[in-house]
Amino acid sequence: MLRWTVHLEGGPRRVNHAAVAVSHKVYSFGGYCSGEDYETLRQIDVHVFNTVSLRWMKLPPVRTGGREHVREVPYMRYGHTAVLVDDTIYIWGGRNDTEGACNVLYAFDVNNHRWYTPKISGTVPGARDGHSACVLGKSMYIFGGYEQLADCFSNDIHKLDTTTMSWSLINATGTPARWRDFHSATIIGTKMFVFGGRADRFGPFHSNNEIYCNKIKVFDTETNSWLNTPSTPLLPEGRRSHSAFSYNGELYIFGGYNARLDRHFNDLWKFNPEVFSWKKVEPKGKGPCPRRRQCCCMVGDRIVLFGGTSSVHSDLSNSVWILDQSNSVWILDQSNSVWILDQSNSV
């Protein structure tokens, strides 16, 4: 029998963090929470959620014996990405209020919880945040984001070959996806599916004329080309800072935010790349409240979703404020389509 389970303790409060699933555990890196100190430069924090025991654990800070070792550990940041290749998690990009954006590649060994900075070559992408990162084979693809030095949105694709540790800027053909940040890019087969994000109506520079595209753009990694795609009759609202994942060859998106509508979402949509069509999914049970900037990881047949920011309306003062979701982990069981809320904590 499908049911909700609720644990009253709270987990870590995180917004704009990055997470990746490793076996039955979810590793969460950095992010921020309102009220915390982000002026002081410090190591990125790592929280681990065990999907079997439903408990959080915070890894202890890395001991550094000198300045050289300090550089091996990323500083606290938000708007970065994390991907898993074999037993290594690669952290790239993101920004900090003190240091700004970053383009150093950091590696985290999941077996011994050791940080290091691999020696790299090639054309390194410019420092940015709000980009996407996805993995195909041994390669990581970086798309879009907001570049700090150029002070504009990007629509470039960069590829990191983790076997040679070499970066390359892909000379893509076809009509590219629009310049954007805080979108999603998901690999299905050999294609990268880009959805949503924040763009500017007039080009790559931010002019406060934001637009939120709700059409899928497809990049073929075999031909290095953007594909022409058919239109779809039913579309989700455009949004940024949503979550996306693939399951059984289909793309799912959850949540996000549209500033033009001033609206947070908690809808779940499924995209079928074979017939190029969207379908709204209605899981059983009570799901998460509308939110953005959360993390969403696939663990077996379950989706683990946690963190993010929501808007809260007060009937007494008739005002709205933003709330960082403090202590909720939601699990969506794909095999039974049920949301489960957990609020356990052992941080």
Side-chain angles (χ1 to χ4, degrees):
M1 180 179 177
L2 304 179
R3 64 185 177 92
W4 289 96
T5 61
V6 181
H7 302 266
L8 299 179
E9 298 84 11
R13 290 198 295 165
R14 283 294 172 261
V15 174
N16 259 355
H17 44 306
V20 64
V22 183
S23 184
H24 65 285
K25 296 180 180 179
V26 174
Y27 286 75
S28 175
F29 299 88
Y32 69 90
C33 180
S34 300
E36 290 187 358
D37 174 22
Y38 288 94
E39 294 299 323
T40 304
L41 203 61
R42 67 186 192 278
Q43 289 185 15
I44 197 169
D45 60 17
V46 184
H47 292 87
V48 184
F49 180 68
N50 188 316
T51 63
V52 176
S53 65
L54 299 180
R55 292 286 168 180
W56 284 100
M57 175 184 70
K58 184 177 181 180
L59 299 187
V62 176
R63 292 185 178 182
T64 54
R67 290 190 175 183
E68 291 300 318
H69 293 289
V70 169
R71 296 195 191 101
E72 298 289 306
V73 184
Y75 53 75
M76 198 66 172
R77 64 191 59 203
Y78 53 90
H80 52 293
T81 53
V83 300
L84 177 69
V85 180
D86 296 328
D87 293 328
T88 303
I89 297 173
Y90 293 101
I91 303 290
W92 195 84
R95 68 170 52 250
N96 180 283
D97 293 345
T98 303
E99 295 292 309
C102 179
N103 70 341
V104 177
L105 179 71
Y106 293 94
F108 180 80
D109 190 319
V110 297
N111 295 316
N112 57 28
H113 293 171
R114 183 178 69 89
W115 286 103
Y116 62 98
T117 51
K119 186 177 180 180
I120 59 173
S121 61
T123 306
V124 179
R128 71 192 68 197
D129 71 326
H131 56 285
S132 59
C134 49
V135 169
L136 179 59
K138 304 289 185 180
S139 295
M140 174 175 72
Y141 289 85
I142 296 290
F143 171 72
Y146 199 88
E147 291 195 60
Q148 178 169 284
L149 189 60
D151 195 20
C152 68
F153 297 105
S154 171
N155 68 346
D156 290 337
I157 302 176
H158 297 263
K159 177 182 177 181
L160 174 70
D161 186 335
T162 63
T163 59
T164 62
M165 281 298 152
S166 177
W167 282 104
S168 58
L169 172 62
I170 293 180
N171 184 21
T173 59
T175 304
R178 196 176 185 85
W179 312 272
R180 65 186 74 192
D181 67 356
F182 294 105
H183 53 282
S184 62
T186 309
I187 293 288
I188 300 178
T190 59
K191 296 180 175 64
M192 180 175 74
F193 293 79
V194 174
F195 176 80
R198 174 183 62 172
D200 192 272
R201 185 177 304 277
F202 301 111
F205 296 97
H206 196 271
S207 67
N208 292 319
N209 285 275
E210 295 182 358
I211 58 173
Y212 294 85
C213 181
N214 61 349
K215 296 179 181 178
I216 288 278
K217 290 291 293 184
V218 183
F219 176 74
D220 190 329
T221 63
E222 292 185 320
T223 60
N224 283 342
S225 61
W226 289 99
L227 304 181
N228 292 322
T229 54
S231 59
T232 58
L234 181 65
L235 290 168
E237 292 279 5
R239 63 196 69 195
R240 66 175 171 92
S241 304
H242 55 285
S243 295
F245 56 90
S246 64
Y247 181 73
N248 282 347
E250 294 180 302
L251 169 68
Y252 291 76
I253 64 163
F254 170 84
Y257 176 71
N258 185 309
R260 295 187 69 87
L261 302 175
D262 190 21
R263 181 182 170 191
H264 287 82
F265 300 96
N266 66 341
D267 48 355
L268 181 68
W269 289 77
K270 178 174 69 173
F271 176 78
N272 186 318
E274 295 297 324
V275 296
F276 222 83
S277 66
W278 285 99
K279 179 182 179 182
K280 191 173 184 180
V281 182
E282 302 284 356
K284 297 179 181 178
K286 182 182 178 182
C289 67
R291 66 185 63 197
R292 57 175 157 163
R293 299 170 175 167
Q294 67 280 342
C295 273
C296 195
C297 293
M298 190 93 196
V299 182
D301 285 331
R302 296 181 296 171
I303 306 303
V304 178
L305 183 151
F306 60 99
T309 299
S310 296
S311 59
V312 179
H313 183 267
S314 172
D315 292 329
L316 294 177
S317 61
N318 195 29
S319 59
V320 177
W321 70 92
I322 298 299
L323 174 68
D324 295 340
Q325 295 300 315
S326 60
N327 52 10
S328 59
V329 173
W330 300 79
I331 298 179
L332 173 64
D333 190 320
Q334 285 279 21
S335 59
N336 295 299
S337 293
V338 60
W339 288 98
I340 303 172
L341 168 64
D342 173 65
Q343 293 181 305
S344 60
N345 175 26
S346 61
V347 176

